[in-house]
Amino acid sequence: MIIAIINNKGGTAKTTSAVNLAAALTIQGTRTLLIDLDSQASASLSMGIERVAFAPSIADAVLAGKPLKPIIRKTGAEGLDLVTGSPDMAEADLTLASLTGRERRLKTAIEPIRGDYDFIILDCPPSLSLLSVNAMVAADAFIIPTPPEYLALEGLVGLMAAVQKIHAGIGDKCRLLGILLTKVDHRRKVTEEIIGIIRNHYKDQVFKTEVGVDVRLLEAPSFGKTIFEYDRSSSGAEAYLQLAREITRKGKKA
């Protein structure tokens, strides 16, 4: 299954979720590839890749049309492979605009290696750009991470509407795998209120798993490690393991 992690708003734990979900899936014994589509390359940095070592990157495959397989690299997490992001992706929309089949460049790049993996996780940029459209075309399903905050709730409504427009425009339709509640702090009254609104409105489209506030999740990227390498006993590690199990169950039912 190819899963895009999307949100057009920053600060939603999108990259944290992409990195640690990918790692959690490998712990379950799956072959997993993480593709960093962000020009800030936060997922790559989180995996311990230094900026000077980004190349070759996803830009070579999507923008230059080079084969993806030679670009894939091993990571410190056993069973987890990575395609790095690149600052070159900052101008991807301008480059892609003049290319034939611009919405399908990522899908075309992934197709030859798709059978090598059980899961491919796409960490999308925090915008609904052509790169995000490419991710939606390539993916079988998408996950929206969102913290239970008022502005994030407003953003979620807008994002869902925008995704419907993207589907209508490109003719492809990857399904919503789930809305993931992140940065959850049950000590705050507003948290309970907004979680109630989200769960009442979206019902079973919301994952049962919630990712709580955990300082270990914030610390792990600075050491270039997933939460499982950094602190396997943390609440964040348990949450992403639970999410991986929930996704595996959903995948079997689909």
Side-chain angles (χ1 to χ4, degrees):
M1 182 187 293
I2 301 176
I3 302 173
I5 313 295
I6 67 167
N7 200 312
N8 57 345
K9 186 178 183 299
T12 61
K14 178 182 59 62
T15 294
T16 296
S17 296
V19 168
N20 292 304
L21 170 59
L25 288 166
T26 65
I27 289 173
Q28 294 195 137
T30 67
R31 299 164 299 169
T32 305
L33 173 65
L34 173 63
I35 298 181
D36 187 351
L37 293 170
D38 193 353
S39 63
Q40 297 180 54
S42 297
S44 304
L45 292 167
S46 297
M47 296 300 298
I49 310 297
E50 297 182 1
R51 291 188 183 277
V52 293
F54 285 166
S57 71
I58 191 61
D60 294 281
V62 173
L63 305 183
K66 294 181 180 178
L68 190 61
K69 193 160 191 170
I71 298 170
I72 297 171
R73 63 183 81 191
K74 300 293 182 184
T75 71
E78 186 176 352
L80 177 58
D81 291 347
L82 171 71
V83 175
T84 52
S86 169
D88 294 339
M89 299 300 272
E91 299 180 358
D93 276 17
L94 291 174
T95 304
L96 289 170
S98 61
L99 299 178
T100 303
R102 57 184 177 269
E103 300 94 349
R104 299 179 178 275
R105 301 280 292 191
L106 180 61
K107 183 174 184 175
T108 300
I110 289 175
E111 209 57 45
I113 58 93
R114 177 168 185 163
D116 297 340
Y117 296 96
D118 300 300
F119 288 94
I120 297 177
I121 306 298
L122 309 175
D123 184 31
C124 300
S127 64
L128 288 181
S129 60
L130 261 175
L131 280 177
S132 296
V133 172
N134 264 264
M136 297 289 285
V137 171
D140 303 305
F142 64 97
I143 292 172
I144 302 175
T146 186
E149 301 167 0
Y150 175 73
L151 292 179
L153 175 59
E154 289 294 315
L156 176 61
V157 174
L159 177 59
M160 294 290 275
V163 166
Q164 288 181 344
K165 289 183 180 179
I166 290 173
H167 283 156
I170 62 180
D172 287 81
K173 190 169 184 179
C174 68
R175 63 189 175 95
L176 173 63
L177 191 58
I179 296 166
L180 175 65
L181 293 167
T182 59
K183 299 184 175 182
V184 175
D185 185 351
H186 285 287
R187 295 171 299 179
R188 301 169 60 208
K189 183 179 179 182
V190 69
T191 296
E192 301 297 329
E193 293 174 353
I194 294 178
I195 287 177
I197 292 170
I198 293 173
R199 290 198 178 279
N200 287 335
H201 183 75
Y202 293 103
K203 302 189 185 306
D204 60 358
Q205 292 179 310
V206 185
F207 285 111
K208 292 183 176 64
T209 302
E210 295 179 2
V211 181
V213 173
D214 182 359
V215 68
R216 310 302 272 174
L217 285 170
L218 298 176
E219 294 170 348
S222 65
F223 291 89
K225 295 181 177 181
T226 69
I227 189 61
F228 304 101
E229 297 169 289
Y230 185 64
D231 188 350
R232 182 76 175 262
S233 65
S234 65
S235 62
E238 179 53 39
Y240 282 108
L241 277 174
Q242 184 177 329
L243 177 64
R245 296 186 197 108
E246 194 171 348
I247 286 172
T248 301
R249 287 195 298 270
K250 282 194 173 192
K252 289 178 179 177
K253 291 178 182 178

